[in-house]
């Protein structure tokens, strides 16, 4: 049994990160790390069971439920033709007939759907069959589309009012949606949009030669478009109802300061109303909703287990010991050192668990930021970058998902884009810290 505070208390976290990078299933990895933490603290099976039960009522479990519900909403938006109509409207308004317009249209579609549905891979998977034939004929490569799906798509998570990251930030900081967007979401999104656009433009001539869309890709994309029930009039009605309901609920939630607790209501109500407008029966709505949520059941279990996982690390004093170790360096280096250390620690952290990463970073560094008197606007930006850029830097999870959805085999460009994007975003955070 270890007595805290001790750096050995971070061993469960290290074990989880190592297992995750070795491509162990996330639930298995977190379960093993939790057991190690319990053993180190001298706890038995009863303690683990008790902490897991408490985890069911934790905020992380609630976020896991939101993610499941968002995936369910995405499936209903797909089945009713809503997602397809939104994407076609955006692409039509942009008037995609040149590479530049194709880039902008795809970026807008990806960010809009991701922000509305709260899922990066799910939203991109829905829009891909519609977007690919259009942008392929306009002169985009599969590499370019994959980069856009990741670079622009992730900004939807930074701007959507009830996406998992946004809900988490509102909960742990007590700030409103508008404040978080103003402090961090919008500035970082603008930077990422610019980086994505410029990188795609610079690399397009070469990737178009090496990784063009073939006729087979385009035909496959056309054939893979979902056969939606009902006629075009029904699809338009469902799309109108979806947009009006979602917008109205978002405005209501903001005005009443519903915060994170209102997210699940927004998603479920929008799903039901959209399904009914799309002429789905109540049974069909439920079936499609759970069909969409089913692939992410594992994520809910992972979020539940994060509660005992963090509990044992805190009990061992792992976070406190790390703070004590870093304090002399922070006192010498000042605010810039603290911001840089926190951001880099987050980026190098837990792949595939961005929401949990926010909670871990908050536990580790919130006290230091408060003591240093660093503005909350900088702290929010650090949390956002530290938790969200991990999937950009490492060629796993979202990176591979974006490639698969875009039918790209160009891993090299994705890796370079991830490095460039991460470097620019981190530099922007540090620069803003210096200016403020």
């Amino acid at each position: 049994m270890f007595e805290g505070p001790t750096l050995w208390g971070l061993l469960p976290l290290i074990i989880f990160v190592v297992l995750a990078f070795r491509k162990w299933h996330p639930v298995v990895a977190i379960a093993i790390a939790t057991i190690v933490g319990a053993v180190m603290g001298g706890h038995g099976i009863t303690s683990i069971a008790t902490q897991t039960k408490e985890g069911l009522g934790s905020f992380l479990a609630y976020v896991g439920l939101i993610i499941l519900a968002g995936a369910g909403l995405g499936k209903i938006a797909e089945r009713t033709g809503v997602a397809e109509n939104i994407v076609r409207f955006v692409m039509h308004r942009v008037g995609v007939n040149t590479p530049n317009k194709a880039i902008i249209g795809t970026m807008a579609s990806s960010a809009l759907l991701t922000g509305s549905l709260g899922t990066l891979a799910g939203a991109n998977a829905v829009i891909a069959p519609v977007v690919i034939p259009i942008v392929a004929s306009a002169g985009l490569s599969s590499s370019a589309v994959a980069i856009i799906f990741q670079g622009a798509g992730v900004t939807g998570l930074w701007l959507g009012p009830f996406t998992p990251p946004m809900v988490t930030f509102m909960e742990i900081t007590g700030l409103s949606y508008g404040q978080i967007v103003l402090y961090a979401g919008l500035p970082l999104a603008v930077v990422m949009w610019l980086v994505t656009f410029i990188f795609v433009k610079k690399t397009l001539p070469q990737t178009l030669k090496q990784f063009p869309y073939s006729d087979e890709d385009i035909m496959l994309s056309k054939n893979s478009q979902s056969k939606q029930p009902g006629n075009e009039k029904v699809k338009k009605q469902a799309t109108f109802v979806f947009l009006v309901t979602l917008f109205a609920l978002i405005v209501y939630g903001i005005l009443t300061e519903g915060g994170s607790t209102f997210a699940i209501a927004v998603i479920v109500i929008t799903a039901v109303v959209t399904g009914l407008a799309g002429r789905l029966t109540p049974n069909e709505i439920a079936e499609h909703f759970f069909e969409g949520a089913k692939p992410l059941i594992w994520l809910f279990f992972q979020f539940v287990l994060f509660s005992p996982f963090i509990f044992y690390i805190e009990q061992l004093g792992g976070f406190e010991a790390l703070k004590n170790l870093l304090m002399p360096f922070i006192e010498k280096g000042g605010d810039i050192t603290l911001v840089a250390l926190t951001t880099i620690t987050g980026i190098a952290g837990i792949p595939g668990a961005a929401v949990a990463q926010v909670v871990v970073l908050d536990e580790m560094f919130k006290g230091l930021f408060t003591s240093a008197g660093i503005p909350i606007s900088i702290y929010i930006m650090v949390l956002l970058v530290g938790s969200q850029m991990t999937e950009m830097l490492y060629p796993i999870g979202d990176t591979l998902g974006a490639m698969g959805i875009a039918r790209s085999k160009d891993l090299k460009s994705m890796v370079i884009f991830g490095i460039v994007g991460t470097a620019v975003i981190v530099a922007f955070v540090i620069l803003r810290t210096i200016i403020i």
Side-chain angles (χ1 to χ4, degrees):
M1 179 176 176
F2 292 79
E3 294 186 3
T6 173
L7 288 174
W8 282 105
L10 295 175
L11 182 60
L13 177 60
I14 295 172
I15 290 174
F16 175 66
V17 172
V18 170
L19 293 180
F21 275 109
R22 293 182 65 84
K23 298 183 179 180
W24 284 51
H25 192 286
V27 175
V28 176
I30 193 70
I32 291 175
T34 300
I35 292 172
V36 170
V39 172
M40 291 177 64
H43 301 282
I45 297 176
T46 301
S47 173
I48 297 176
T50 300
Q51 292 302 319
T52 302
K53 178 182 178 181
E54 293 185 5
L56 285 168
S58 68
F59 172 71
L60 278 175
Y62 176 69
V63 174
L65 186 62
I66 290 174
I67 293 173
L68 293 180
L73 173 60
K75 178 58 68 174
I76 290 176
E78 177 186 349
R79 295 294 298 178
T80 56
V82 169
E84 180 181 341
N85 274 359
I86 292 174
V87 175
R88 288 194 182 281
F89 175 78
V90 171
M91 301 300 279
H92 175 72
R93 296 295 296 177
V94 173
V96 178
N97 53 16
T98 66
N100 282 350
K101 290 183 178 180
I103 295 171
I104 294 172
T106 308
M107 288 175 64
S109 299
S110 182
L112 178 61
L113 262 293
T114 300
S116 299
L117 304 180
T119 167
L120 180 62
N124 285 332
V126 169
I127 71 173
V130 181
V131 167
I132 289 177
I134 299 173
V135 299
S137 61
L140 291 194
S141 64
S142 60
S143 301
V145 175
I147 290 168
I148 292 171
F149 279 170
Q150 184 176 38
V154 74
T155 62
L157 298 177
W158 303 351
L159 297 173
F162 295 107
T163 62
M166 186 61 68
V167 170
T168 305
F169 293 136
M170 287 191 290
E171 177 70 18
I172 66 176
T173 64
L175 297 177
S176 68
Y177 165 69
Q179 288 174 311
I180 295 173
V181 169
L182 180 63
Y183 292 155
L186 186 58
L188 290 173
V190 170
V191 174
M192 182 53 68
W193 284 332
L194 290 174
V195 171
T196 302
F197 183 84
I198 294 172
F199 189 88
V200 170
K201 281 286 294 180
K202 290 290 185 181
T203 59
L204 183 58
Q206 185 62 34
T207 60
L208 192 57
K209 293 179 182 178
Q210 295 181 329
F211 302 98
Y213 278 113
S214 65
D215 294 337
E216 291 77 10
D217 284 324
I218 296 175
M219 289 304 299
L220 181 61
S221 298
K222 290 180 178 179
N223 293 335
S224 66
Q225 293 185 38
S226 54
K227 306 299 182 182
Q228 311 295 352
N231 54 35
E232 289 301 319
K233 182 179 179 180
V234 172
K235 294 180 187 178
K236 290 180 180 179
Q237 290 175 350
T239 302
F240 176 78
V241 169
F242 171 85
L243 293 174
V244 171
T245 303
L246 186 62
F247 179 76
L249 288 173
I250 288 173
V251 171
Y252 177 79
I254 294 174
L255 292 178
T256 59
E257 298 182 354
S260 61
T261 57
F262 194 60
I264 197 71
V266 172
I267 296 171
V268 173
I269 293 174
T270 303
V272 172
V273 174
T274 301
L276 293 174
R279 306 302 192 271
L280 298 178
T281 67
N283 281 352
E284 288 175 331
I285 293 173
E287 289 171 1
H288 294 317
F289 188 86
F290 293 125
E291 180 186 352
K294 184 178 178 180
L296 296 177
I297 290 292
W298 66 268
L299 196 60
F300 177 76
F301 280 89
Q302 183 190 35
F303 279 18
V304 169
L305 288 174
F306 261 113
S307 183
F309 170 73
I310 294 175
F311 171 80
Y312 291 127
I313 294 177
E314 288 181 332
Q315 190 182 60
L316 290 166
F319 296 138
E320 184 180 351
L322 180 62
K323 293 176 187 176
N324 295 337
L325 178 66
L326 294 177
M327 186 58 73
F329 300 99
I330 294 171
E331 290 176 347
K332 291 181 180 179
D335 295 353
I336 303 301
T337 301
L338 176 57
V339 168
L341 277 174
T342 307
T343 305
I344 294 172
T345 299
I347 293 174
I350 309 170
V355 172
Q357 237 170 304
V358 174
V359 176
V360 171
L361 286 175
D362 186 60
E363 292 284 350
M364 293 172 67
F365 295 103
K366 184 176 182 178
L368 293 175
F369 274 77
T370 301
S371 300
I374 297 177
I376 188 66
S377 58
I378 297 297
Y379 182 60
I380 287 293
M381 189 172 287
V382 169
L383 288 182
L384 180 59
V385 173
S387 61
Q388 294 291 312
M389 297 307 292
T390 304
E391 291 288 330
M392 289 281 292
L393 185 61
Y394 301 128
I396 55 178
D398 288 341
T399 300
L400 299 179
M403 290 177 60
I405 294 168
R407 311 185 205 288
S408 172
K409 298 180 180 179
D410 185 11
L411 180 59
K412 179 181 178 181
S413 292
M414 293 295 286
V415 171
I416 295 174
F417 171 67
I419 294 173
V420 171
T422 302
V424 172
I425 287 291
V426 171
F428 176 75
V429 173
I430 294 175
L431 178 61
R432 185 163 178 177
T433 304
I434 294 173
I435 294 174
I436 291 182

